[in-house]
Amino acid sequence: MVLDKRASKERPLEEHMSTAVFTVSGMSCGHCEKSVSEEISALPGVTGVSADAKAGTVTVDFEQPLADEAVRSAVDEAGYQLVGRV
């Protein structure tokens, strides 16, 4: 029963969460992934970031509107180039 109650409490949060996947060029290693993830994580409303240098993608979880230009600026700050959303 406790699990059911916890799950129902979490549902409203999950309903407000969104995920976007971006293509980023120039990442080639774990350091690249970390740099990009740290910059994007600092954006308001971002709740999670997962960068994959091998695939050239970054998955961003967020709970409020996320402008592509804000992500682009964060990726630029890390030294890489945002190609666009997947």
Side-chain angles (χ1 to χ4, degrees):
M1 295 268 184
V2 173
L3 293 175
D4 291 338
K5 288 180 181 180
R6 189 180 326 166
S8 65
K9 286 181 182 178
E10 291 177 2
R11 279 192 189 132
L13 291 176
E14 291 172 359
E15 290 173 6
H16 297 290
M17 297 286 291
S18 295
T19 300
V21 180
F22 298 89
T23 302
V24 175
S25 66
M27 294 190 302
S28 61
C29 64
H31 180 268
C32 301
E33 294 170 345
K34 183 178 177 190
S35 295
V36 170
S37 294
E38 285 177 353
E39 291 294 334
I40 295 173
S41 292
L43 296 174
V46 172
T47 59
V49 179
S50 176
D52 183 344
K54 191 172 187 176
T57 60
V58 178
T59 302
V60 182
D61 299 319
F62 52 97
E63 59 186 9
Q64 67 185 46
L66 181 65
D68 286 10
E69 285 307 310
V71 177
R72 183 177 308 283
S73 293
V75 171
D76 287 348
E77 185 67 28
Y80 304 94
Q81 182 180 9
L82 180 75
V83 177
R85 283 194 194 228
V86 174

